[in-house]
């Protein structure tokens, strides 16, 4: 297929570009290269003759139209977005511009292009809108999000994604554009910008700095390894039914505090000699390991780390919670398993172990980011 991927220089997008090329597709990566876009995430595929890059801001309707008509895609996979909830609290305007207006321009350009195609190609064309489970709001202690869960977004980020989901579905219902929507749980893995929880914890461990955990760390997320997400997206674009929504999740619910402890334990094993002396006066009293209500499975082969005097977990610091912080997200991914045969390949142990190891092995990648404006600072305190 000829696949136009927006946001291909971001975390999920760069993993998706790599996987699509590996599966033999031609890819045009359309990305504005915001603070979150990084072509260094694609150096290994940059010279692949089936790969092209266009620096285009999706809020620029003309440039988006030219990119779509120029590349003549069989499918558009739309990932470009402002994606960080904390940033959406500080500056919601850019989230409306990119996530809502940008999606509108991409839908319009795709519709115009779709209408220009001969019938057989038009019938095969797909527009995949990649979204989040955060549009569904927060769950209590039980229950799962299904594809029919009513929308109830709480942050500017999730409200902007909900808005774009509705636009995408409306272009299917009103204009007949073959649209598919996916709503996915939290991703983790290689090339994630170090403002999100998992890389923050790893890099704070390496620097011996306080590891900020919002509130009491009791918020629960369903964690999915990014390559599993990308495999799901390619399945949906190739075999999904237009007009349908597919929830994608990892069957891997973890409380934030348990996950942070797991990463600290992995760091104890993999990098036992990192600096463990937080600057004095900067660490609030750690409340220690919270009750094991949803304990992670033990990581095999782990050393004595964890509770010892030099454990990275001694850096854990509870900080003021995020405003409007949803308590629990959990996905029922039975539809995509039943209809498309997809399920995650990585399990809890393998995925997190690989991820920690990747950040340890790819210091040049994240050091280049941290030498810029972003310094692992806390954002979005309202
Ligand atoms: P990211 O922030 O790492 O990457 C976003 C990419 O979009 C960057 O390369 C950025 O340069 C690009 N971009 C931003 N604004 C743009 C614009 N105006 N024009 C063109 N490009 C622009 O995000 P991510 O974590 O890779 O998420 C990708 C998509 O997946 C998003 O739509 C997000 O809502 C969705 N999603 C993410 C997760 C997750 O856990 N990360 C979970 C579910 C869904």
């Amino acid at each position: 297929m000829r696949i136009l991927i927006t946001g291909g220089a971001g975390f999920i997008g760069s993993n998706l570009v790599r996987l699509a090329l590996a599966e033999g597709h031609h890819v045009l990566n359309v990305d504005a290269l915001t603070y979150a876009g990084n072509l260094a995430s694609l150096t290994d595929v940059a010279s692949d003759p089936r790969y092209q890059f266009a620096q285009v801001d999706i809020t620029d309707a003309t440039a988006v139209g030219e990119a779509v008509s120029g590349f003549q895609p069989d499918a558009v996979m739309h990932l470009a977005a402002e994606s960080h909830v904390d940033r959406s609290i500080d500056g919601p305007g850019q989230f409306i511009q990119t996530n809502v207006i940008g999606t509108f321009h991409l839908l319009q350009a795709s519709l115009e292009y779709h209408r220009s195609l001969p019938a057989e190609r038009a019938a095969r064309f797909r527009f995949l809108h990649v979204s989040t489970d955060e549009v569904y709001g927060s769950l209590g202690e039980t229950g799962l999000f299904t594809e029919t869960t009513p929308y109830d977004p709480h942050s500017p980020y999730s409200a902007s994604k909900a808005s774009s989901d509705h636009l995408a579905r409306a272009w299917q219902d009103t204009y007949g554009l073959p649209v598919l929507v996916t709503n996915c749980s939290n991703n983790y893995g290689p090339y994630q910008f170090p403002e999100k929880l998992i890389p923050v914890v790893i890099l704070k461990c390496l620097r011996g700095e306080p590891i900020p955990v919002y509130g009491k760390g009791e918020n629960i997320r369903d964690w999915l390894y990014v390559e599993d997400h990308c495999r799901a997206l390619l399945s949906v674009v190739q075999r999904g039914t237009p007009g349908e929504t597919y929830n994608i999740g990892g069957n891997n619910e973890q409380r934030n505090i348990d996950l942070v402890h797991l990463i600290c334990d992995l760091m104890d094993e993999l990098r036992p000699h990192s600096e463990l002396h937080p600057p004095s006066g900067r660490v609030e009293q750690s409340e220690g390991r919270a009750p094991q209500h949803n304990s992670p499975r033990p990581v095999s082969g782990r050393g004595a780390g964890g509770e010892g005097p030099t454990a990275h977990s001694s850096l854990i610091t509870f900080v003021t919670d995020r405003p409007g912080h949803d308590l629990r997200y959990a996905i029922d991914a039975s539809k995509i398993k039943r209809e498309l045969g997809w399920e995650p390949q990585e399990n809890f142990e393998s995925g997190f172990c690989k991820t920690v190891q990747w950040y340890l092995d790819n210091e040049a990648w994240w050091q280049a980011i941290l030498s810029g404006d972003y310094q692992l600072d806390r954002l979005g305190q309202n």
Side-chain angles (χ1 to χ4, degrees), residues 6-14 30-38 56-59 78-84 94 97-99 102 129-134 157 161 182-188 191-193 195-196 223 229:
T6 70
F11 164 47
I12 301 171
S14 60
V30 167
D31 197 298
L33 300 182
T34 68
Y35 80 93
N38 188 355
V56 168
D57 188 325
I58 59 166
T59 64
H78 176 36
L79 289 86
E82 289 291 337
S83 70
H84 188 35
Q94 194 54 46
Q97 286 304 320
T98 290
N99 299 0
H129 177 67
V130 177
S131 191
T132 166
D133 61 354
E134 300 193 25
Y157 165 66
K161 290 297 291 189
T182 54
N183 295 92
C184 184
S185 60
N186 280 41
N187 283 216
Y188 67 95
Y191 301 105
Q192 188 166 30
F193 190 86
E195 65 189 353
K196 305 278 170 69
W223 292 91
H229 185 194

Side-chain angles (χ1 to χ4, degrees), residues 109-161:
S110 301
L111 178 60
E112 192 177 328
Y113 164 71
H114 184 244
R115 285 177 168 163
S116 75
L117 291 174
E120 191 266 334
R121 273 199 80 190
R124 281 193 286 117
F125 179 80
R126 298 288 182 267
F127 184 104
L128 171 56
H129 177 67
V130 177
S131 191
T132 166
D133 61 354
E134 300 193 25
V135 298
Y136 297 125
S138 187
L139 289 165
E141 292 204 347
T142 58
L144 298 170
F145 296 133
T146 71
E147 287 79 1
T148 56
T149 300
Y151 274 31
D152 183 23
H154 295 143
S155 71
Y157 165 66
S158 54
S160 68
K161 290 297 291 189

Side-chain angles (χ1 to χ4, degrees), residues 92-105:
Q94 194 54 46
F95 286 69
I96 305 304
Q97 286 304 320
T98 290
N99 299 0
V100 184
I101 308 293
T103 299
F104 160 68
H105 289 318

Side-chain angles (χ1 to χ4, degrees), residues 32-351:
L33 300 182
T34 68
Y35 80 93
N38 188 355
L39 291 180
S41 304
L42 290 163
T43 43
D44 56 328
V45 296
S47 57
D48 187 319
R50 286 176 290 111
Y51 171 73
Q52 297 172 56
F53 170 67
Q55 185 165 2
V56 168
D57 188 325
I58 59 166
T59 64
D60 178 342
T62 307
V64 171
E66 286 169 2
V68 173
S69 62
F71 184 63
Q72 297 276 307
D74 301 309
V76 171
M77 300 177 81
H78 176 36
L79 289 86
E82 289 291 337
S83 70
H84 188 35
V85 176
D86 288 346
R87 285 182 194 261
S88 82
I89 296 167
D90 290 341
Q94 194 54 46
F95 286 69
I96 305 304
Q97 286 304 320
T98 290
N99 299 0
V100 184
I101 308 293
T103 299
F104 160 68
H105 289 318
L106 191 64
L107 285 164
Q108 285 290 76
S110 301
L111 178 60
E112 192 177 328
Y113 164 71
H114 184 244
R115 285 177 168 163
S116 75
L117 291 174
E120 191 266 334
R121 273 199 80 190
R124 281 193 286 117
F125 179 80
R126 298 288 182 267
F127 184 104
L128 171 56
H129 177 67
V130 177
S131 191
T132 166
D133 61 354
E134 300 193 25
V135 298
Y136 297 125
S138 187
L139 289 165
E141 292 204 347
T142 58
L144 298 170
F145 296 133
T146 71
E147 287 79 1
T148 56
T149 300
Y151 274 31
D152 183 23
H154 295 143
S155 71
Y157 165 66
S158 54
S160 68
K161 290 297 291 189
S163 177
S164 59
D165 293 10
H166 291 318
L167 289 177
R169 293 192 183 105
W171 261 241
Q172 155 95 32
D173 295 342
T174 305
Y175 304 113
L177 187 70
V179 168
L180 303 119
V181 177
T182 54
N183 295 92
C184 184
S185 60
N186 280 41
N187 283 216
Y188 67 95
Y191 301 105
Q192 188 166 30
F193 190 86
E195 65 189 353
K196 305 278 170 69
L197 179 66
I198 309 291
V200 163
V201 176
I202 298 169
L203 301 191
K204 291 290 188 184
C205 282
L206 282 171
R207 290 178 159 200
E209 291 178 1
I211 301 167
V213 174
Y214 293 175
K216 299 228 176 293
E218 287 178 341
N219 306 72
I220 294 173
R221 300 292 180 260
D222 174 3
W223 292 91
L224 179 67
Y225 192 65
V226 63
E227 287 174 14
D228 279 326
H229 185 194
C230 294
R231 284 193 307 103
L233 296 177
L234 286 169
S235 301
V236 170
V237 86
Q238 290 172 103
R239 292 183 286 111
T241 305
E244 291 292 318
T245 295
Y246 298 89
N247 278 357
I248 305 170
N251 302 321
N252 184 15
E253 280 185 58
Q254 302 294 332
R255 289 189 317 164
N256 286 348
I257 185 65
D258 296 329
L259 188 53
V260 171
H261 272 287
L262 171 81
I263 294 168
C264 288
D265 291 353
L266 283 166
M267 287 295 294
D268 290 343
E269 179 192 348
L270 297 170
R271 192 57 71 88
H273 301 301
S274 36
E275 292 292 326
L276 284 170
H277 307 291
S280 58
R282 289 191 57 191
V283 181
E284 296 166 27
Q285 182 57 48
S286 166
E287 296 177 26
R289 192 184 288 268
Q292 297 289 300
H293 136 122
N294 187 21
S295 314
R297 283 178 283 139
V299 174
S300 58
R302 213 147 12 126
E307 307 293 349
T310 59
H312 288 91
S313 58
S314 64
L315 299 170
I316 292 173
T317 305
F318 293 96
V319 300
T320 316
D321 208 352
R322 169 191 280 165
H325 203 179
D326 291 332
L327 177 66
R328 176 171 168 260
Y329 303 143
I331 284 275
D332 175 351
S334 56
K335 176 176 172 180
I336 187 169
K337 180 177 179 185
R338 192 175 57 248
E339 296 189 6
L340 304 181
W342 174 88
E343 54 187 336
Q345 287 179 0
E346 294 295 340
N347 63 34
F348 185 75
E349 295 176 20
S350 61

